[in-house]
Amino acid sequence: MPDMSASVSLAVTHLVPLAKEVDENKVTPGVLGFIVFAVMALAVWGLMKSMSKHMRKVDFQESPDVGADKAGQQADSPARQG
């Protein structure tokens, strides 16, 4: 498996001449900025898709709590309100 830093440095050396074509007096994000933004946008899209898939699996209905229900009925009974 090739070294990851070597492939990254190779990609950056190919992108640097593209950035030099822009006017030196302007400050722009350039091609590298666009690539970083596009990768981040794809990552957010993938995370949102995964989150919605997981949220569909969640069951939001709670099962009735029998112990709490009986305690609530005893508190409301007319014998205690005397």
Side-chain angles (χ1 to χ4, degrees):
M1 186 168 179
D3 187 27
M4 186 68 166
S5 63
S7 61
V8 170
S9 66
L10 182 64
V12 170
T13 55
H14 287 300
L15 290 176
V16 169
L18 293 174
K20 292 293 181 186
E21 295 174 3
V22 180
D23 184 18
E24 294 290 330
N25 296 326
K26 288 185 179 179
V27 177
T28 61
V31 177
L32 185 60
F34 173 76
I35 291 171
V36 169
F37 182 77
V39 167
M40 288 174 51
L42 285 173
V44 168
W45 177 77
L47 286 170
M48 294 281 288
K49 190 170 181 172
S50 174
M51 182 186 69
S52 67
K53 186 170 134 181
H54 281 77
M55 290 299 286
R56 273 189 239 121
K57 293 180 182 179
V58 175
D59 183 20
F60 287 105
Q61 291 190 353
E62 296 181 19
S63 59
D65 190 7
V66 178
D69 191 31
K70 287 182 182 178
Q73 288 175 355
Q74 288 176 357
D76 294 336
S77 66
R80 290 199 156 214
Q81 292 178 357

